[in-house]
Amino acid sequence: MSIKPYKTVTEQKNILLSRGLTILDETFFEDYISRNNYFNVINGNEDLLLVSQGTGNKFYDTANFDDFVRLHKFDKKLSSNLTAILHNFETKLKSSISRNFCKRYCRTPQHTMQYTNKANYVDINTVFGTRYTLYYDQYGKIVDDFNDFVFFKSSFLYSLIKYNDFIDENIFSIDSTSYTPPTGCNSYTIYSGRKHAVVPIWVAIETLDFGALQRCCHYLTSDVINDVMSDFNLSPTDRELFLNSLDVIRELRNKCAHFSLINRFCTSLNVKILPSLINKLGLNPMEPSRRVYVHALNRRVLKNSAKLNLFDTLKVLGMYEDLSSLNKPLKNLIYQNNKHFKKNTYDLNERMLGRMGNTDYKEWKKLFS
């Protein structure tokens, strides 16, 4: 890959014109490119509109800049709707964990902070070590770093209150005369030691990022994780499948968070997909070989890693959330492309659906129903 020199918007426009792209309104082009990332508008979508895909022969036939804009706006709408769905899933997962953990370990005010007690979780390093599923793939660090989990840090309560304005220490505290922190639980005194900070798990869990939330699921005892999975219509035998699905969802969440093109989405080669998840949903992963870094081995190794495209990834998310809000943006794109794109040597809709993982529009409608 060569680093390309800086080009002005006018220079970029002239290059596209020299390749046969029609630009009906040059002022609109310059304004749109100035306000949006050039890669996301042009480079990320050009392979869908070039006459020959993947050949390096960059020439446009019937395509015009409005086609790029339509694809770009579709991706932004798809990403926005996906972000809302992912937010709903994350909220539901946090609620399920806090509710089911409290049911077992935090039933009384005196035991409010039991979620910071390591004894109420499974130290999978001690129990399983390197035998833990996918240890030599994506779970090595999760296994090895049990003691470093955020809830177990000695500074947890202090940091929780200091760096989260919505946690008012006047509300989330109790007089030292009526409360003694349980053995093994995190504690933090305020007002010269006259009060103890006491923050329930359903408040604290809101501050966890998805990675920490995912780690928490690995450490939950069987009775708690089984109840969590039951909230998502899964059985106790689905634990590995459930945890692996969180890997996939996290990949998609990160892509949306960084405003990357969703229509190009594929899971990372660093994330292995278990056969149980593949078989349950009828996934069709790509399996390229590549050297990937394995934390547990502290080196890069050659692995066959299953990559999931957007269609299969949405199948995974669809186990837990309603995807119907994604139907309208795709339906509108299909309609607008049919209406405005001048088909000659290729079908733009077929190319777009193929890039996302399935050329059969009926299958997308079924997925979003």
Side-chain angles (χ1 to χ4, degrees):
M1 176 181 178
S2 59
I3 304 299
K4 296 181 179 180
Y6 165 80
K7 289 182 174 59
T8 66
V9 173
T10 299
E11 288 173 326
Q12 291 169 331
K13 177 190 66 179
N14 290 334
I15 289 173
L16 293 172
L17 288 170
S18 70
R19 293 172 178 170
L21 182 70
T22 299
I23 300 177
L24 300 175
D25 187 334
E26 296 190 9
T27 300
F28 172 72
F29 171 90
E30 293 175 358
D31 179 63
Y32 197 87
I33 292 300
S34 296
R35 290 185 292 106
N36 294 280
N37 182 285
Y38 184 86
F39 176 85
N40 285 345
V41 180
I42 301 296
N43 296 133
N45 290 312
E46 67 179 2
D47 206 39
L48 296 172
L49 291 162
L50 291 168
V51 175
S52 301
Q53 292 181 298
T55 64
N57 181 21
K58 295 188 176 183
F59 183 77
Y60 300 99
D61 182 9
T62 61
N64 68 65
F65 181 64
D66 291 344
D67 298 321
F68 278 102
V69 172
R70 192 162 58 250
L71 293 172
H72 180 240
K73 288 184 175 180
F74 159 72
D75 201 274
K76 288 176 67 175
K77 182 62 176 177
L78 186 68
S79 180
S80 175
N81 288 10
L82 258 178
T83 299
I85 293 171
L86 290 163
H87 175 75
N88 290 340
F89 171 73
E90 187 171 342
T91 299
K92 182 178 178 180
L93 181 57
K94 287 178 175 178
S95 176
S96 177
I97 292 171
S98 58
R99 183 178 64 256
N100 289 303
F101 193 96
C102 282
K103 183 171 63 178
R104 293 294 194 287
Y105 301 107
C106 306
R107 296 183 69 91
T108 67
Q110 180 67 26
H111 291 96
T112 296
M113 296 306 302
Q114 285 291 348
Y115 69 93
T116 65
N117 189 344
K118 286 188 253 186
N120 297 325
Y121 298 84
V122 178
D123 182 350
I124 52 181
N125 191 15
T126 300
V127 177
F128 298 101
T130 59
R131 294 180 290 106
Y132 193 68
T133 301
L134 299 182
Y135 177 85
Y136 290 108
D137 295 278
Q138 58 257 39
Y139 296 156
K141 187 173 177 62
I142 291 175
V143 174
D144 295 343
D145 293 350
F146 172 77
N147 290 320
D148 292 330
F149 182 53
V150 61
F151 284 167
F152 308 153
K153 293 182 180 294
S154 60
S155 60
F156 168 68
L157 263 179
Y158 168 78
S159 299
L160 187 68
I161 293 173
K162 180 176 177 60
Y163 298 112
N164 294 281
D165 293 340
F166 71 94
I167 300 178
D168 187 342
E169 62 184 26
N170 293 308
I171 297 174
F172 296 105
S173 62
I174 190 169
D175 289 337
S176 298
T177 56
S178 58
Y179 174 82
T180 301
T183 302
C185 295
N186 200 268
S187 63
Y188 169 55
T189 58
I190 53 180
Y191 301 117
S192 301
R194 290 183 291 107
K195 288 191 175 185
H196 286 286
V198 179
V199 182
I201 185 175
W202 60 83
V203 176
I205 204 169
E206 290 300 317
T207 66
L208 297 189
D209 60 30
F210 196 85
L213 188 66
Q214 189 178 1
R215 285 183 64 183
C216 185
C217 290
H218 281 268
Y219 302 148
L220 294 175
T221 56
S222 59
D223 49 2
V224 177
I225 191 64
N226 287 347
D227 285 347
V228 170
M229 291 191 298
S230 179
D231 287 341
F232 291 96
N233 299 314
L234 295 175
S235 69
T237 59
D238 291 323
R239 181 180 181 275
E240 291 182 354
L241 177 149
F242 174 67
L243 294 175
N244 195 208
S245 70
L246 296 184
D247 297 328
V248 176
I249 291 171
R250 182 184 180 186
E251 293 264 301
L252 183 61
R253 181 186 181 278
N254 289 345
K255 194 81 167 183
C256 288
H258 290 96
F259 306 105
S260 301
L261 286 175
I262 294 301
N263 73 72
R264 294 166 57 97
F265 175 82
C266 280
T267 55
S268 166
L269 285 172
N270 292 318
V271 173
K272 185 172 182 179
I273 312 299
L274 290 172
S276 56
L277 186 59
I278 293 172
N279 294 334
K280 180 180 180 67
L281 298 176
L283 307 179
N284 295 289
M286 302 168 282
E287 297 190 359
S289 294
R290 181 181 174 187
R291 289 196 176 277
V292 298
Y293 177 77
V294 177
H295 166 78
L297 298 175
N298 195 30
R299 59 187 174 88
R300 300 183 73 84
V301 298
L302 186 65
K303 300 174 72 71
N304 284 324
S305 300
K307 288 178 63 175
L308 299 184
N309 53 41
L310 181 61
F311 184 78
D312 278 353
T313 299
L314 291 178
K315 277 188 175 182
V316 175
L317 181 59
M319 287 198 297
Y320 310 114
E321 290 294 327
D322 177 10
L323 304 180
S324 59
S325 66
L326 304 179
N327 182 56
K328 187 175 180 179
L330 183 59
K331 181 180 179 180
N332 286 343
L333 178 70
I334 296 294
Y335 172 79
Q336 292 296 326
N337 282 344
N338 284 335
K339 181 178 181 180
H340 298 290
F341 179 70
K342 298 177 181 179
K343 188 188 304 183
N344 186 12
T345 59
Y346 63 89
D347 186 316
L348 179 56
N349 283 328
E350 185 176 346
R351 281 188 174 183
M352 170 58 87
L353 295 178
R355 170 187 277 187
M356 296 193 297
N358 194 319
T359 57
D360 190 344
Y361 180 47
K362 291 180 181 178
E363 292 298 315
W364 288 93
K365 291 193 290 185
K366 187 187 303 183
L367 180 62
F368 296 158
S369 63

